[in-house]
Amino acid sequence: MYSSLRLNFLPKIPCNLLSFGYGGKSSRISRNEPYTKPLAVIEKKMASGELNRKLTQLRTDLFKKYGRSNKLPKVIIGAEYRKKRAVDHSGKCPNPLARKLEKELLKIGPLRSKGHHNFIGSCCEVRSSNQIMIKKNFLKPTDISFTKAKRTRTGQNKHRCPNCQIVFG
């Protein structure tokens, strides 16, 4: 479950120890170059298996509670920051709302008003990340990784709305 890319730079390493390309003399860096060329490493953040199990459990619990009625939430998602995990569904804007999350949402428009695609603050991403950000108030919304959003009825993957793309990156 791919959720985001992070770009990390290695510390300054002597360039004569790094090689690029397919090998051979032409791909080695000159031994005379200073220690200034960092190597970029791309690291993928993946949602844990435990978080995916919690998401599946939430989906079955919602079906037990609502059946196939029209009150069944549209979308569910899991959020994670290190060992803290939360799953939630779309619905009303949470109250209380984490300060940093509220600040980012207000950049789009007033809470509970119509945003780019749907109502601001009612997304499952906001609800699940809010559970983590209230406990860890130093977090920024971009620090949290998510599972793929899933439709509750069918289990199909769903793209994130433009509001959430602005807030969570």
Side-chain angles (χ1 to χ4, degrees):
M1 306 264 157
Y2 169 80
S3 66
S4 69
L5 282 177
R6 301 255 174 165
L7 190 61
N8 292 334
F9 288 97
L10 293 177
K12 294 180 180 177
I13 298 173
C15 292
N16 59 352
L17 300 178
L18 301 174
S19 65
F20 297 91
Y22 297 106
K25 287 186 178 181
S26 63
S27 64
R28 286 210 59 90
I29 297 175
S30 168
R31 293 176 192 265
N32 298 330
E33 286 188 32
Y35 298 123
T36 57
K37 298 239 179 182
L39 176 67
V41 178
I42 295 178
E43 157 190 313
K44 292 181 183 176
K45 288 177 65 180
M46 307 291 274
S48 68
E50 181 184 338
L51 187 60
N52 287 320
R53 284 190 292 279
K54 285 176 107 177
L55 195 62
T56 305
Q57 184 62 44
L58 174 66
R59 185 171 178 241
T60 56
D61 291 345
L62 288 171
F63 269 115
K64 286 179 187 175
K65 185 175 180 180
Y66 296 111
R68 290 252 178 211
S69 74
N70 62 351
K71 294 184 180 185
L72 188 67
K74 304 274 186 259
V75 184
I76 56 176
I77 201 166
E80 180 174 49
Y81 177 76
R82 295 190 180 163
K83 298 283 182 184
K84 297 289 181 194
R85 297 176 180 95
V87 292
D88 212 334
H89 56 80
S90 56
K92 292 181 180 177
C93 185
N95 191 13
L97 193 61
R99 286 184 185 168
K100 290 184 181 179
L101 183 57
E102 185 176 6
K103 182 180 171 185
E104 291 295 318
L105 289 170
L106 288 173
K107 289 179 182 177
I108 302 169
L111 293 176
R112 299 171 190 86
S113 67
K114 190 75 167 168
H116 290 94
H117 178 69
N118 56 359
F119 291 97
I120 298 170
S122 65
C123 301
C124 52
E125 290 93 342
V126 172
R127 292 170 56 99
S128 61
S129 64
N130 186 54
Q131 293 176 27
I132 297 171
M133 290 179 74
I134 284 179
K135 294 175 187 170
K136 305 264 185 190
N137 56 4
F138 61 88
L139 285 177
K140 296 179 284 191
T142 54
D143 293 338
I144 296 175
S145 60
F146 295 96
T147 62
K148 292 204 182 265
K150 296 198 177 284
R151 291 187 189 276
T152 310
R153 290 182 193 274
T154 62
Q156 293 174 325
N157 291 340
K158 187 176 184 312
H159 295 291
R160 296 201 315 196
C161 71
N163 296 340
C164 291
Q165 289 175 357
I166 292 169
V167 174
F168 300 106

